[in-house]
Coordinates of all heavy atoms in Angstrom, one line a residue:
R263 N -23.7 -60.7 18.8 CA -25.1 -61.0 18.5 C -25.7 -59.8 17.7 O -25.4 -58.6 18.0 CB -26.0 -61.1 19.7 CG -25.5 -62.2 20.6 CD -26.2 -62.5 21.9 NE -27.1 -61.5 22.5 CZ -26.5 -60.6 23.3 NH1 -25.3 -60.6 23.7 NH2 -27.3 -59.7 23.9
F264 N -26.4 -60.1 16.6 CA -27.1 -59.1 15.8 C -28.5 -59.0 16.3 O -29.4 -59.9 16.2 CB -27.2 -59.6 14.3 CG -27.9 -58.7 13.4 CD1 -27.8 -57.3 13.5 CD2 -28.9 -59.1 12.5 CE1 -28.4 -56.4 12.7 CE2 -29.5 -58.3 11.6 CZ -29.4 -56.9 11.7
L265 N -28.7 -58.0 17.2 CA -30.0 -57.9 18.0 C -31.2 -57.9 17.2 O -32.2 -58.6 17.7 CB -29.9 -56.6 18.9 CG -28.8 -56.6 19.9 CD1 -28.9 -55.3 20.7 CD2 -28.8 -57.8 20.8
P266 N -31.4 -57.3 16.1 CA -32.7 -57.4 15.4 C -33.1 -58.8 15.0 O -34.2 -59.2 15.2 CB -32.5 -56.5 14.1 CG -31.5 -55.5 14.6 CD -30.6 -56.2 15.4
L267 N -32.1 -59.6 14.6 CA -32.4 -61.0 14.3 C -32.6 -61.8 15.5 O -33.5 -62.7 15.5 CB -31.2 -61.6 13.4 CG -31.3 -63.1 13.1 CD1 -32.5 -63.4 12.3 CD2 -30.0 -63.5 12.4
E268 N -31.9 -61.6 16.6 CA -32.1 -62.3 17.8 C -33.5 -62.0 18.3 O -34.2 -63.0 18.8 CB -31.1 -61.9 18.9 CG -31.2 -62.5 20.2 CD -30.2 -62.1 21.3 OE1 -29.9 -60.9 21.3 OE2 -29.6 -62.9 21.9
A269 N -34.0 -60.8 18.3 CA -35.3 -60.4 18.7 C -36.4 -61.1 17.8 O -37.4 -61.6 18.3 CB -35.5 -58.9 18.7
S270 N -36.2 -61.1 16.5 CA -37.1 -61.7 15.6 C -37.2 -63.2 15.7 O -38.3 -63.8 15.9 CB -36.6 -61.5 14.1 OG -37.5 -62.1 13.2
L271 N -36.1 -63.9 16.0 CA -36.1 -65.4 16.3 C -36.8 -65.6 17.7 O -37.6 -66.5 17.8 CB -34.7 -65.9 16.3 CG -34.0 -66.0 14.9 CD1 -32.6 -66.4 15.1 CD2 -34.8 -66.9 14.0
G272 N -36.5 -64.7 18.6 CA -37.1 -64.9 20.0 C -38.7 -64.8 19.9 O -39.3 -65.5 20.6
E273 N -39.2 -63.9 19.0 CA -40.6 -63.8 18.9 C -41.3 -65.1 18.3 O -42.4 -65.4 18.6 CB -41.0 -62.6 18.0 CG -40.6 -61.3 18.6 CD -40.7 -60.2 17.6 OE1 -41.0 -60.4 16.4 OE2 -40.6 -59.0 17.9
R274 N -40.4 -65.8 17.5 CA -41.0 -67.1 17.0 C -40.6 -68.3 17.8 O -40.8 -69.4 17.4 CB -40.4 -67.2 15.5 CG -40.9 -66.2 14.6 CD -40.1 -66.2 13.3 NE -40.6 -65.3 12.3 CZ -40.6 -64.0 12.3 NH1 -39.9 -63.3 13.3 NH2 -41.1 -63.2 11.3
G275 N -39.9 -68.1 19.0 CA -39.6 -69.1 19.8 C -38.4 -70.0 19.4 O -38.3 -71.1 19.7
R276 N -37.6 -69.4 18.5 CA -36.5 -70.1 17.9 C -35.1 -69.6 18.5 O -35.0 -68.4 18.8 CB -36.4 -69.9 16.4 CG -37.6 -70.6 15.7 CD -37.6 -70.3 14.2 NE -36.3 -70.6 13.6 CZ -36.0 -70.2 12.4 NH1 -36.7 -69.4 11.7 NH2 -34.8 -70.5 11.9
P277 N -34.2 -70.5 18.8 CA -32.9 -70.0 19.4 C -32.1 -69.2 18.5 O -32.2 -69.3 17.3 CB -32.3 -71.4 19.8 CG -32.8 -72.3 18.7 CD -34.2 -72.0 18.4
Y278 N -31.2 -68.4 19.1 CA -30.3 -67.6 18.3 C -28.9 -68.1 18.6 O -28.5 -68.4 19.8 CB -30.4 -66.1 18.7 CG -29.5 -65.3 18.0 CD1 -29.8 -64.8 16.7 CD2 -28.2 -64.9 18.6 CE1 -28.8 -64.0 16.0 CE2 -27.3 -64.0 18.0 CZ -27.7 -63.6 16.6 OH -26.7 -62.8 16.0
A279 N -28.0 -68.2 17.6 CA -26.6 -68.7 17.8 C -25.7 -67.6 17.6 O -25.5 -67.0 16.5 CB -26.4 -69.8 16.8
P280 N -25.0 -67.1 18.7 CA -24.1 -66.1 18.6 C -22.8 -66.6 17.8 O -22.6 -67.7 17.7 CB -23.6 -65.7 20.0 CG -24.7 -66.3 20.8 CD -25.3 -67.5 20.1
I281 N -22.1 -65.7 17.2 CA -20.9 -66.1 16.5 C -19.6 -65.3 17.0 O -19.8 -64.3 17.6 CB -21.1 -65.8 14.9 CG1 -21.3 -64.3 14.8 CG2 -22.2 -66.7 14.4 CD1 -21.2 -64.0 13.2
S282 N -18.4 -65.9 16.6 CA -17.2 -65.3 17.0 C -16.4 -65.1 15.6 O -16.5 -65.9 14.8 CB -16.4 -66.1 18.0 OG -17.2 -66.3 19.2
L283 N -15.6 -64.0 15.6 CA -14.9 -63.7 14.4 C -13.8 -62.8 14.7 O -13.8 -62.1 15.6 CB -15.9 -63.0 13.4 CG -15.4 -62.8 11.9 CD1 -15.3 -64.1 11.3 CD2 -16.5 -61.9 11.2
D284 N -12.7 -62.9 13.9 CA -11.6 -62.0 14.1 C -11.1 -61.7 12.7 O -10.5 -62.5 11.9 CB -10.5 -62.7 14.9 CG -9.3 -61.8 15.2 OD1 -9.1 -60.7 14.6 OD2 -8.5 -62.1 16.1
V285 N -11.3 -60.4 12.2 CA -10.9 -60.0 10.9 C -9.9 -58.9 11.0 O -10.3 -57.8 11.5 CB -12.1 -59.5 10.0 CG1 -11.7 -59.0 8.7 CG2 -13.1 -60.6 9.9
E286 N -8.7 -59.1 10.5 CA -7.7 -58.0 10.4 C -7.4 -57.9 9.0 O -6.8 -58.7 8.3 CB -6.4 -58.4 11.2 CG -5.4 -57.4 11.3 CD -5.6 -56.5 12.5 OE1 -6.2 -56.9 13.5 OE2 -5.2 -55.2 12.4
G287 N -7.7 -56.7 8.4 CA -7.6 -56.6 6.9 C -8.8 -57.1 6.2 O -9.9 -56.7 6.5
V288 N -8.6 -58.1 5.3 CA -9.7 -58.6 4.4 C -9.8 -60.1 4.8 O -8.9 -60.8 5.0 CB -9.5 -58.4 2.9 CG1 -9.5 -56.8 2.7 CG2 -8.2 -59.0 2.4
A289 N -11.1 -60.6 4.6 CA -11.4 -62.0 4.9 C -12.6 -62.4 4.0 O -13.4 -61.6 3.6 CB -11.7 -62.3 6.3
T290 N -12.6 -63.7 3.8 CA -13.8 -64.3 3.0 C -14.6 -65.2 3.9 O -14.0 -65.7 4.9 CB -13.4 -65.1 1.8 OG1 -12.5 -66.1 2.2 CG2 -12.6 -64.2 0.8
L291 N -15.8 -65.4 3.6 CA -16.7 -66.2 4.4 C -17.5 -67.1 3.5 O -18.3 -66.6 2.6 CB -17.6 -65.4 5.2 CG -18.7 -66.2 6.1 CD1 -18.0 -67.1 7.1 CD2 -19.6 -65.2 6.8
T292 N -17.3 -68.4 3.6 CA -18.0 -69.4 2.7 C -18.9 -70.2 3.6 O -18.8 -70.2 4.8 CB -17.0 -70.3 1.9 OG1 -16.2 -71.0 2.9 CG2 -16.2 -69.4 1.0
G293 N -19.7 -71.0 3.0 CA -20.6 -71.9 3.7 C -21.9 -72.2 3.0 O -22.1 -71.6 1.9
P294 N -22.8 -73.0 3.6 CA -24.0 -73.4 2.9 C -25.0 -72.3 2.8 O -24.9 -71.3 3.6 CB -24.5 -74.5 3.7 CG -24.0 -74.2 5.1 CD -22.6 -73.6 4.9
N295 N -26.0 -72.4 2.0 CA -27.1 -71.5 1.9 C -27.8 -71.7 3.3 O -27.8 -72.7 3.8 CB -28.1 -71.8 0.8 CG -27.4 -71.7 -0.6 OD1 -27.0 -72.7 -1.2 ND2 -27.5 -70.5 -1.1
M296 N -28.3 -70.5 3.7 CA -29.0 -70.5 5.0 C -28.2 -70.8 6.2 O -28.7 -71.1 7.2 CB -30.3 -71.4 5.0 CG -31.3 -71.1 3.9 SD -32.8 -72.1 3.9 CE -33.5 -71.5 5.4
G297 N -26.9 -70.7 6.0 CA -25.9 -70.9 7.1 C -25.6 -69.8 7.9 O -24.8 -69.8 8.8
G298 N -26.2 -68.6 7.5 CA -25.9 -67.4 8.5 C -24.8 -66.5 7.9 O -24.3 -65.7 8.6
K299 N -24.4 -66.6 6.7 CA -23.3 -65.8 6.1 C -23.8 -64.3 6.2 O -23.0 -63.4 6.6 CB -22.9 -66.1 4.7 CG -22.3 -67.6 4.6 CD -21.7 -67.9 3.3 CE -22.7 -67.8 2.2 NZ -23.8 -68.8 2.3
S300 N -24.9 -64.0 5.6 CA -25.4 -62.6 5.6 C -25.6 -62.1 7.0 O -25.3 -61.0 7.4 CB -26.8 -62.5 4.8 OG -26.6 -62.8 3.4
A301 N -26.1 -63.0 7.9 CA -26.3 -62.6 9.3 C -25.0 -62.3 10.0 O -24.9 -61.4 10.8 CB -27.0 -63.7 10.1
A302 N -23.9 -63.0 9.6 CA -22.6 -62.7 10.1 C -22.1 -61.3 9.7 O -21.5 -60.5 10.4 CB -21.6 -63.8 9.7
L303 N -22.3 -61.0 8.4 CA -22.0 -59.7 7.9 C -22.7 -58.6 8.7 O -22.1 -57.6 9.0 CB -22.3 -59.5 6.4 CG -21.5 -60.4 5.4 CD1 -22.0 -60.2 4.0 CD2 -20.0 -60.2 5.5
R304 N -24.0 -58.8 8.8 CA -24.8 -57.8 9.6 C -24.4 -57.7 11.0 O -24.4 -56.6 11.6 CB -26.3 -58.2 9.4 CG -26.9 -58.0 8.1 CD -28.3 -58.4 8.0 NE -28.8 -58.5 6.6 CZ -29.1 -57.4 5.9 NH1 -29.0 -56.2 6.5 NH2 -29.5 -57.5 4.7
T305 N -24.0 -58.8 11.6 CA -23.4 -58.7 13.0 C -22.2 -57.8 13.0 O -22.1 -57.0 14.0 CB -23.1 -60.2 13.5 OG1 -24.2 -61.0 13.4 CG2 -22.6 -60.1 14.9
C306 N -21.3 -58.0 12.1 CA -20.1 -57.1 12.0 C -20.5 -55.7 11.9 O -20.0 -54.8 12.7 CB -19.2 -57.5 10.9 SG -18.4 -59.1 11.1
G307 N -21.4 -55.4 11.0 CA -21.9 -54.0 10.8 C -22.6 -53.4 12.0 O -22.3 -52.3 12.4
F308 N -23.4 -54.3 12.6 CA -24.1 -53.8 13.9 C -23.2 -53.5 15.0 O -23.4 -52.5 15.7 CB -25.2 -54.9 14.3 CG -26.1 -54.5 15.4 CD1 -27.1 -53.6 15.2 CD2 -25.8 -55.0 16.6 CE1 -28.0 -53.3 16.2 CE2 -26.6 -54.5 17.7 CZ -27.7 -53.8 17.5
L309 N -22.2 -54.4 15.3 CA -21.3 -54.1 16.4 C -20.4 -52.9 16.0 O -20.2 -52.1 17.0 CB -20.4 -55.4 16.6 CG -21.2 -56.7 17.0 CD1 -20.2 -57.7 17.4 CD2 -22.2 -56.4 18.1
A310 N -20.0 -52.8 14.8 CA -19.2 -51.6 14.5 C -20.0 -50.3 14.6 O -19.5 -49.3 15.1 CB -18.7 -51.7 13.0

């Protein structure tokens, strides 16, 4: 979980969806707009 986003959504009464990931070396992430790709990047950086 990326805590700043989780807190922001909580203040608006919206649910937060945790994610799971396993990156060894390099990886790409594709998907729709507003699908949480940037949030996934920030989650990686936050946990690290």
Side-chain angles (χ1 to χ4, degrees):
R263 307 184 329 273
F264 178 44
L265 295 183
L267 177 59
E268 184 180 39
S270 177
L271 290 174
E273 291 170 357
R274 292 167 173 78
R276 294 173 55 195
Y278 178 83
I281 60 170
S282 300
L283 192 63
D284 188 343
V285 178
E286 186 87 29
V288 297
T290 62
L291 176 60
T292 59
N295 298 96
M296 301 183 70
K299 296 189 299 297
S300 295
L303 295 178
R304 293 181 186 276
T305 303
C306 290
F308 184 77
L309 299 188

